[in-house]
Amino acid sequence: MPAVRRNHRADVLPVQESPPPWGPAEIRSLWERLRRADAEGRGRAEPEWDLVVVGAGIAGAGVARDAALRGLRVLVVEARDLAFGTSSRSSRLIHGGVRYLEQGELGLVYEALRERRLLYKIAGHIVQPARFLFPAYRGDRLPLWKLRIGLSLYDALSLYRSHGHRVLRPAAARALEPLLREEGLRGAVTYEDAVTDDARLTLATLQDARRHGAQVLTYAPVVAIRREGEVQVVELDGDLRVRARSVVVAAGPWTSERLLGVAGAHLLALSRGIHLVLRAADVPVRQPLVVQAQKERRILFVVPWGPRTYLGTTDTAYDGDPAASGVTPADTGELFALIGKVLPRAVLGQDRIVSAWSGVRPLVRDEHAASGDPTAEISRTHRILETAEGVIAVVGGKLTTYRSMAEETVDRVVRRLRQRGQLPAGIGRCQTHRHPLVAGLPLSAEELHDPRLADLAQRHGPLARQLYSQIHADPRLGARIIHDLPYCWAEVEHAITHEGAVHLEDIMRRRIPLALTDEGLGASVAREVATRLVTARGGSAADIEAELQRYREAMRVETGRILAPC
């Protein structure tokens, strides 16, 4: 077997502009490479990988990117699709966390605001600043004067590098957002935070890791992790063993004793949150809106999303398989009741729901907290731990702080490798704050005059030029998949050939969010998308039907809806 070329710093700088293709052929090739390495490497002292990352959510993606940029040989293994869990089921916000100020977590807020500023720089196409409106009503737990003090502190913790907050009288608040209830309104504050696409942020992070030499293998469940001398052995389903110098577990709510031994027992408290998607015409808010849950120390968001608006989130203790988290009538009733008090003219009702999503937050359990404490009171800080077998795990944290969590984790990996005399030569320091997630020059103002190119750039950054060229060569690829949504068929082809999509659900839910934005959950085009996917990998008509059935079941579990025939 030829020696694996390390992607050391000397090799990292002159990289290609785009990540390598990631389609069916590349996925098969990686599987074959791992099987060959397993057969040839049993009993060999030198492992093929410096680091195996278990989990392809945002935390695992961040660790992989950081390690690859430093020059380590990295493999990511994931039981399902990238961003399958929490990382595609969040509130889609990059924010400092205004409510954490009340909990006294100034360090977490400072870190999150610093990371928000860095994400503006390295992921500006997908992390967009927005002005949030936070109204205060008579009887609210946080009156207007407290909001003024809190947002002044928020500005200070951002080092005044963002647009500062403003305080609005009731008339000015309603002029800015006419949907607000007039009765009892004491005023409002506006402040800066950011919106994002959590799944595509995870994808872009993994793609940059791949661009710098990392490999990613999805649908590869880990059965066990054990140590053989100085080598960590990761056993995958199907009796395949991967050998590495170090292992990082970033499995989110799936972090468990199976992966970490006794260190994984009673480590997490799981919290379930749901979001509802409605037509923008039914909830026509002009900017992201913050709503207080009056009897609890938590807040909700109403966020405009093109032709849609989404609202959430709930925050309730959860015990069960994180993949089975769904949306119940009680969840929707709770959200509608809370939002309806502030937006009485919004059209809210079960029959107005376009789609929904549900996810489970992995919160680090406080050993001193009572078992019945609300999950909203549990800190969103992260923890890095190391097992007796030398496996490192990163748990908890926030989407916003994923880059700094990864830096801290890889620092720990490098330190342990150095202590054991296993650190390869030429390994550098963290570089993730210096390099954009998507390489290439940002689109110029002239390019952005083209509406199609400008729209693609919101999801793909500089890679939009590549998709635009394909549309120019074949105009059929520029047709919209769903008439009132911006996504086009070129993005389906790109997801199949360059974004590692294995199943129909991967495309419809995480590459192109038709499952979240289309009133029919993508049922009208699911067969065509499945046909293109299965044809690309050389499957049969039976495989197409299997993909459709798999997608129907995924939608039933997450949204509670039964798809129309596809």
Side-chain angles (χ1 to χ4, degrees):
M1 179 177 178
V4 177
R5 180 173 179 264
R6 292 188 182 279
N7 50 315
H8 288 162
R9 287 300 307 157
D11 303 325
V12 164
L13 295 177
V15 294
Q16 61 192 65
E17 289 262 311
S18 304
W22 191 11
E26 290 75 26
I27 293 169
R28 282 194 297 269
S29 177
L30 180 56
W31 275 109
E32 291 166 2
R33 170 182 169 180
L34 293 178
R35 292 190 184 97
R36 188 166 59 247
D38 183 26
E40 297 176 356
R42 299 195 185 205
R44 182 186 298 174
E46 175 71 12
E48 182 179 9
W49 307 98
D50 296 319
L51 173 64
V52 169
V53 180
V54 179
I58 192 64
V63 169
R65 177 175 182 252
D66 189 309
L69 270 163
R70 297 193 200 205
L72 294 171
R73 300 172 300 177
V74 180
L75 173 68
V76 181
V77 292
E78 163 60 48
R80 305 207 190 198
D81 185 31
L82 61 90
F84 171 82
T86 314
S87 299
S88 63
R89 305 169 193 238
S90 74
S91 294
R92 300 166 61 90
L93 303 177
I94 298 296
H95 62 143
V98 170
R99 75 179 183 88
Y100 306 140
L101 293 174
E102 189 183 7
Q103 296 172 317
E105 298 197 73
L106 302 188
L108 175 61
V109 175
Y110 174 79
E111 178 189 17
L113 290 171
R114 181 197 66 205
E115 292 302 307
R116 187 192 69 184
R117 186 172 68 251
L118 285 172
L119 286 170
Y120 285 159
K121 293 171 57 178
I122 68 172
H125 71 288
I126 203 170
V127 176
Q128 294 289 324
R131 293 297 289 181
F132 284 64
L133 178 65
F134 197 150
Y137 284 86
R138 182 190 306 118
D140 276 351
R141 196 178 51 78
L142 294 176
L144 188 61
W145 67 268
K146 278 193 176 182
L147 293 181
R148 294 178 65 175
I149 293 172
L151 269 299
S152 295
L153 181 56
Y154 204 64
D155 293 342
L157 290 171
S158 74
L159 304 180
Y160 301 102
R161 293 180 178 176
S162 59
H163 294 290
H165 79 282
R166 290 179 56 217
V167 181
L168 304 177
R169 294 183 181 275
R174 293 196 74 247
L176 191 62
E177 183 48 78
L179 283 184
L180 288 177
R181 187 183 89 229
E182 183 176 11
E183 180 186 358
L185 181 62
R186 296 303 195 189
V189 291
T190 66
Y191 66 96
E192 180 182 318
D193 261 327
V195 294
T196 192
D197 180 329
D198 49 7
R200 291 209 69 86
L201 180 62
T202 305
L203 173 63
T205 303
L206 277 173
Q207 288 284 52
D208 197 47
R210 294 182 65 250
R211 195 167 66 91
H212 290 90
Q215 296 288 337
V216 182
L217 188 67
T218 57
Y219 295 96
V222 173
V223 175
I225 304 171
R226 56 188 174 79
R227 191 176 185 87
E228 292 182 355
E230 292 300 310
V231 174
Q232 297 283 359
V233 178
V234 179
E235 297 185 8
L236 303 181
D237 191 29
D239 194 30
L240 178 61
R241 301 192 299 179
V242 177
R243 304 166 71 251
R245 289 189 168 94
S246 186
V247 172
V248 166
V249 171
W254 285 272
T255 305
S256 63
E257 290 180 80
R258 180 175 58 82
L259 296 175
L260 299 180
V262 294
H266 311 296
L267 181 63
L268 297 178
L270 302 184
S271 167
R272 185 172 64 92
I274 72 120
H275 294 78
L276 304 176
V277 183
L278 292 91
R279 302 171 188 86
D282 288 339
V283 192
V285 291
R286 296 177 175 180
Q287 65 276 302
L289 182 71
V290 187
V291 175
Q292 297 190 52
Q294 290 189 341
K295 296 181 181 180
E296 303 174 51
R297 192 156 70 173
R298 66 184 178 95
I299 56 179
L300 301 91
F301 297 95
V302 181
V303 183
W305 185 15
R308 305 289 181 254
T309 299
Y310 66 88
L311 29 139
T313 175
T314 56
D315 197 332
T316 55
Y318 182 77
D319 183 17
D321 180 3
S325 169
V327 178
T328 69
D331 295 326
T332 61
E334 176 190 351
L335 279 184
F336 284 158
L338 291 169
I339 301 301
K341 289 179 180 179
V342 177
L343 304 176
R345 289 188 291 136
V347 183
L348 306 176
Q350 190 75 32
D351 61 331
R352 313 306 290 186
I353 297 174
V354 171
S355 186
W357 71 86
S358 172
V360 176
R361 308 174 188 92
L363 308 178
V364 181
R365 189 185 299 274
D366 183 349
E367 58 185 12
H368 302 296
S371 59
D373 284 354
T375 53
E377 301 291 335
I378 300 177
S379 173
R380 267 52 176 174
T381 55
H382 69 277
R383 184 185 301 172
I384 298 173
L385 57 93
E386 189 169 352
T387 72
E389 296 296 311
V391 174
I392 294 170
V394 54
V395 293
K398 287 162 46 69
L399 176 69
T400 305
T401 58
Y402 86 92
R403 191 212 62 85
S404 59
M405 289 164 52
E407 179 178 354
E408 185 181 345
T409 304
V410 179
D411 282 346
R412 175 81 69 94
V413 170
V414 169
R415 187 161 59 247
R416 290 292 180 264
L417 290 176
R418 182 180 292 115
Q419 290 171 350
R420 296 199 298 263
Q422 294 180 314
L423 186 67
I427 300 303
R429 297 190 177 196
C430 176
Q431 299 292 321
T432 54
H433 58 298
R434 302 180 185 276
H435 299 274
L437 290 187
V438 180
L441 292 174
L443 274 71
S444 67
E446 183 179 353
E447 288 177 302
L448 292 174
H449 283 311
D450 186 308
R452 175 166 286 164
L453 189 53
D455 175 68
L456 289 169
Q458 294 180 47
R459 296 182 291 282
H460 302 275
L463 282 176
R465 297 187 183 97
Q466 179 180 327
L467 275 73
Y468 187 78
S469 296
Q470 294 171 0
I471 292 170
H472 191 265
D474 184 356
R476 291 173 299 178
L477 293 175
R480 288 190 174 190
I481 306 171
I482 301 291
H483 72 91
D484 65 337
L485 296 172
Y487 318 111
C488 67
W489 286 101
E491 293 176 273
V492 172
E493 296 298 319
H494 189 71
I496 294 169
T497 59
H498 283 76
E499 293 182 344
V502 174
H503 292 293
L504 174 62
E505 176 197 351
D506 305 345
I507 299 174
M508 305 281 280
R509 174 63 175 81
R510 286 170 290 277
R511 306 306 187 276
I512 307 167
L514 295 179
L516 304 181
T517 54
D518 176 40
E519 296 180 25
L521 305 185
S524 64
V525 296
R527 180 171 294 277
E528 173 62 22
V529 176
T531 299
R532 295 185 184 214
L533 173 66
V534 170
T535 299
R537 71 183 189 213
S540 65
D543 293 324
I544 295 172
E545 296 304 324
E547 287 294 342
L548 292 170
Q549 181 56 37
R550 181 189 181 100
Y551 182 62
R552 290 189 194 97
E553 178 61 15
M555 292 299 96
R556 183 195 65 78
V557 170
E558 187 167 16
T559 71
R561 287 175 54 186
I562 306 298
L563 258 66
C566 301

